[in-house]
Amino acid sequence: MTPKQYISRLKADPRTRWIAFSWVCFMMFFTFTDLVVASVYTDIEFQSVFRGLHIRGISLFVNFGLIIMLLFDYSVKYKTMSKEVVWTAILGLMLCISIYFHCRKVTANAHSALIYPLCLDYFSIILFAVFMILLFIIKTFVEFSAPVKVSEQN
């Protein structure tokens, strides 16, 4: 499926959009509650809370788990894995690892010698936003209905 086909299917199925968006929001809220609290209250610095959560191995494990849950849902529904879903999941796993290592570098203050954009303090937050978008994409693949075969009319 090309990006254009994906966007077309997403536009044609608003229910799938809302289910995927709701799922990602609920997962974000229930797995990263500290981040939600840090984003609501002004006396808590979001970046430090974010790094504090993501320098631990358990956060890496949780992020892997979110992707694996979606892959499991997809395989139960469709019985086979499409290459788009597999590559999106691999990209998501690489993002999880990148977030983990970038947060560790920033915490150790060893990131300033890296090239741009890796030298940015908030680069791992950008990666996390991309990770959330990838979760949304995989969830939409799970929720899409089976395509209808189009036949020629005589």
Side-chain angles (χ1 to χ4, degrees):
M1 175 181 305
T2 65
K4 187 176 180 180
Q5 290 170 329
Y6 172 78
I7 292 169
S8 175
R9 270 190 93 177
L10 203 55
K11 284 180 181 178
D13 192 0
R15 181 180 173 276
T16 296
R17 264 195 321 252
W18 285 110
I19 288 172
F21 180 74
S22 300
W23 187 90
V24 170
C25 288
F26 281 127
M27 285 297 128
M28 174 74 176
F29 180 77
F30 289 116
T31 56
F32 298 110
T33 308
D34 293 344
L35 291 179
V36 174
V37 170
S39 65
V40 172
Y41 292 107
T42 57
D43 59 338
I44 304 171
E45 186 182 340
F46 183 81
Q47 284 187 25
S48 63
V49 172
F50 181 85
R51 280 194 302 272
L53 279 173
H54 286 91
I55 60 170
R56 299 181 305 189
I58 192 69
S59 181
L60 180 66
F61 184 70
V62 166
N63 289 341
F64 277 6
L66 291 172
I67 292 174
I68 292 169
M69 271 188 341
L70 288 172
L71 290 177
F72 180 76
D73 286 348
Y74 186 88
S75 67
V76 166
K77 185 173 182 179
Y78 294 108
K79 309 294 185 234
T80 60
M81 299 291 273
S82 72
K83 66 179 179 179
E84 293 91 1
V85 171
V86 171
W87 283 111
T88 307
I90 289 171
L91 180 61
L93 294 174
M94 291 186 334
L95 277 171
C96 294
I97 293 169
S98 300
I99 292 166
Y100 173 75
F101 282 117
H102 188 267
C103 285
R104 293 188 69 81
K105 285 280 193 188
V106 172
T107 302
N109 207 13
H111 69 294
S112 57
L114 299 174
I115 62 169
Y116 184 84
L118 298 175
C119 63
L120 300 173
D121 288 349
Y122 55 88
F123 184 66
S124 53
I125 296 172
I126 294 169
L127 291 177
F128 186 72
V130 172
F131 175 69
M132 289 292 127
I133 292 168
L134 282 177
L135 287 179
F136 174 82
I137 291 169
I138 296 172
K139 183 62 177 172
T140 57
F141 278 129
V142 171
E143 294 299 323
F144 280 146
S145 58
V148 178
K149 301 277 185 196
V150 178
S151 59
E152 289 186 34
Q153 232 177 353
N154 292 330

